[in-house]
C-alpha cells in the first residue's frame, strides 16, 4: 500500500538530511508532500532581504526535490508559507494531508529550547503517527563505514522496550527498509540496582 510522507524544508543541513532519509525510504507509488515556512519576522528582518531569504529556501527546495527525481512517486507536492506562527502552520499542514510520517531537521535556535527547536519538539510530542527529526547532520557525526548497511544502505538503531511507542516505531520503519539496510535492535531490561564494593 502506498505511503504518504511529509518533509519539512528549510535551508539547514539537517533539513536536507531529513529529505534524504525520506527519499531512501520511499518506494514506487508513494506520495511526498514538501513544506517550507518562512517566519514573517525573519522575512522582514533587516539582516535578510526578502530576496535573500526566499532564495535560500528555494535552493533548499531544489536540492530536496532532486533527491526524489529517480523515484516513481505517485505524487509530489510543494507548499511555501510566510507566516508569523510557524508551529501552527506546520500543524495545520500536517492535519490537512495526514501523512504516515513526518521528516524534519531541527534548527535548535537558542539554548533555552535545548537540542531541538520548538517546532521540532512540538511535532515529536504531538503527532500521533510518527516523526523523524535530524538533530545534527555533519561529517563529524557520520557513522563509520563498518557501521553502515550493506552496499551503502542505511543503518537503523531501534530501541525496544515493549511500549506502544516502541511498537509504533517498529511498525513505521519495517515497510521502509531496503534490502541493503541494516537494523540494530536494542533493549534495556529493568533490573534491580547492583551494588559493588568501593575499593
Amino acid at each position: 500500500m502506498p505511503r504518504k510522507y511529509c518533509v519539512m524544508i528549510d535551508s539547514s543541513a539537517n533539513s536536507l538530511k531529513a529529505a534524504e532519509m525520506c527519499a531512501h525510504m520511499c518506494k514506487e507509488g508513494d506520495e511526498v508532500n514538501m513544506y517550507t515556512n518562512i517566519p514573517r519576522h525573519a522575512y522582514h528582518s533587516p539582516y535578510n532581504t526578502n530576496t535573500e531569504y526566499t532564495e535560500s529556501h528555494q535552493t533548499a527546495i531544489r536540492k530536496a526535490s532532486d533527491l526524489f527525481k529517480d523515484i516513481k512517486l505517485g505524487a509530489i507536492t510543494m507548499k511555501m508559507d510566510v507566516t508569523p506562527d510557524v508551529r501552527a502552520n506546520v500543524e495545520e499542514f500536517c492535519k490537512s494531508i495526514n501523512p504516515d510520517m513526518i521528516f524534519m531537521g531541527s534548527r535548535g535556535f537558542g539554548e533555552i529550547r535545548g537540542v531541538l527547536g520548538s517546532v521540532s519538539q512540538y511535532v515529536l510530542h504531538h503527532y500521533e503517527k510518527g516523526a523523524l527529526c535530524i538533530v545534527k547532520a555533519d561529517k563529524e557525526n557520520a557513522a563509520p563505514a563498518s557501521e553502515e548497511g550493506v552496499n551503502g544502505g542505511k543503518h537503523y538503531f531501534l530501541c525496544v522496550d515493549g511500549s506502544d511507542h516502541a511498537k509504533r516505531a517498529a511498525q513505521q520503519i519495517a515497510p521502509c527498509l531496503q534490502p541493503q539496510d541494516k537494523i540494530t535492535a536494542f533493549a534495556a531490561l529493568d533490573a534491580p540496582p547492583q551494588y559493588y564494593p568501593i575499593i
Side-chain angles (χ1 to χ4, degrees), residues 75-142:
I76 183 165
T77 66
M78 178 64 226
K79 182 178 181 184
M80 176 186 271
D81 281 333
V82 179
T83 61
D85 191 344
V86 177
R87 192 176 75 179
N89 274 61
V90 166
E91 181 180 16
E92 183 181 338
F93 179 73
C94 291
K95 283 182 178 179
S96 68
I97 62 173
N98 192 29
D100 293 293
M101 184 177 280
I102 300 170
F103 295 82
M104 58 189 172
S106 173
R107 301 300 296 266
F109 291 141
E111 294 180 4
I112 195 168
R113 298 182 191 173
V115 177
L116 299 179
S118 61
V119 176
S120 306
Q121 288 274 22
Y122 184 83
V123 173
L124 288 173
H125 286 90
H126 291 85
Y127 191 67
E128 296 179 357
K129 284 194 172 182
L132 182 148
C133 182
I134 302 297
V135 177
K136 196 169 184 182
D138 58 31
K139 293 181 180 179
E140 292 180 5
N141 289 279

Side-chain angles (χ1 to χ4, degrees), residues 3 25 27 158 168-178 183:
R3 293 164 68 83
M25 292 183 174
K27 295 181 179 178
L158 182 65
R168 184 63 181 163
Q171 290 170 351
Q172 282 287 351
I173 211 159
C176 305
L177 292 173
Q178 306 290 347
I183 186 166

